[in-house]
Amino acid sequence: MVAPFDQQGQILQYYPFRVGDLMLALGAAFFLALALEKLWRGYRVGAIAITLIILIGFGAEATRFYHKGMALQDFPSQEQGVNPEQKATASWLKHHVPEGEVVVSSPVDLDRLPWLSEHPSIAKFLFVPSASSADVEAWFNRITDLGGGIDLLSYVDRRTDARREIKAALTAAYDGLDTAQMLALMDKYDSRYAVTNAGQILELPVLDENVRYRIYGR
């Protein structure tokens, strides 16, 4: 309900709007209280034991909740998987790259960069379309391009969850792109900017860098 009026997520970052973090747990707590009330009436000893277990659990959860709540003061932060260097890189892109310009970046490690920088990306592994969507093939082709033509299907096994292996392979493939491959990507997707990890050396002009990331231009 709030989303159409909050395109940047300024309101949605707060806990009353984060159903999975707070409201769902709060609703479960209410139902649990009702169940405990019935137990108290019929099975007092068992109810006391269950209550103690629940109180210990809520005590542990309260500590985690407190840390998450405090982390909102620096939103986005490590709690949301955003390190300071990524924020600095995103800030540079936001203030120096023309609006709407596509920025090439890692399909795995920098999945939050597009919304932080307010610039579109080629594709992100996290945002895979649903299997029924017509965009799946386009997404797959883009992800494959970011991996330098990596054969992702060779990692797929219907009997096991191969996401970790696929993400690791994609990350390594993107981090291993050479200058010619990166230029080919930039040409294909009409981009003048690319973000890499600090250890990835390309023969392109360096526009900005920090200890973790480097922004190349052309």
Side-chain angles (χ1 to χ4, degrees):
M1 185 173 66
V2 179
F5 310 100
D6 184 35
Q7 299 294 324
Q8 304 302 320
Q10 298 297 319
I11 298 175
L12 291 174
Q13 65 178 287
Y14 295 105
Y15 274 100
F17 301 100
R18 297 173 67 173
V19 177
D21 280 345
L22 180 66
M23 302 307 291
L24 187 60
L26 186 61
F30 283 135
F31 285 114
L32 189 58
L34 290 173
L36 281 176
E37 183 181 7
K38 294 181 179 178
L39 277 174
W40 270 104
R41 293 175 181 174
Y43 307 95
R44 187 173 295 272
V45 176
I48 292 174
I50 293 174
T51 301
L52 288 174
I53 293 172
I54 291 171
L55 287 175
I56 292 172
F58 270 107
E61 184 64 23
T63 302
R64 191 173 73 91
F65 180 86
Y66 171 78
H67 287 303
K68 283 197 171 186
M70 295 302 293
L72 288 176
Q73 296 179 10
D74 300 315
F75 180 88
S77 64
Q78 295 282 7
E79 289 289 340
Q80 293 80 39
V82 178
N83 57 61
E85 293 80 15
Q86 187 173 167
K87 289 175 66 173
T89 298
S91 178
W92 191 95
L93 293 171
K94 184 176 181 178
H95 292 98
H96 294 85
V97 175
E99 183 178 355
E101 185 90 24
V102 175
V103 175
V104 180
S105 61
S106 172
V108 178
D109 289 344
L110 291 170
D111 53 12
R112 292 165 178 80
L113 189 65
W115 67 266
L116 285 172
S117 65
E118 299 181 11
H119 286 283
S121 63
I122 296 175
K124 296 298 178 187
F125 182 81
L126 182 66
F127 305 128
V128 54
S130 64
S132 60
S133 171
D135 296 329
V136 172
E137 184 177 356
W139 171 87
F140 181 82
N141 291 334
R142 287 168 176 262
I143 284 289
T144 301
D145 286 343
L146 287 168
I150 185 173
D151 181 14
L152 293 179
L153 294 179
S154 65
Y155 294 89
V156 175
D157 185 346
R158 293 186 178 182
R159 297 169 296 180
T160 60
D161 184 352
R163 281 178 296 178
R164 181 175 298 179
E165 290 78 9
I166 292 173
K167 289 167 69 175
L170 261 178
T171 300
Y174 180 84
D175 291 346
L177 294 177
D178 58 27
T179 303
Q181 289 174 308
M182 185 63 76
L183 283 172
L185 263 178
M186 297 168 83
D187 286 339
K188 183 172 182 177
Y189 293 100
D190 194 23
S191 172
R192 293 181 294 161
Y193 304 88
V195 180
T196 70
N197 67 69
Q200 189 171 357
I201 307 300
L202 301 177
E203 296 177 9
L204 294 171
V206 177
L207 304 181
D208 187 66
E209 62 182 331
N210 54 50
V211 296
R212 296 187 70 158
Y213 306 110
R214 183 176 290 116
I215 302 174
Y216 287 103
R218 57 176 306 181

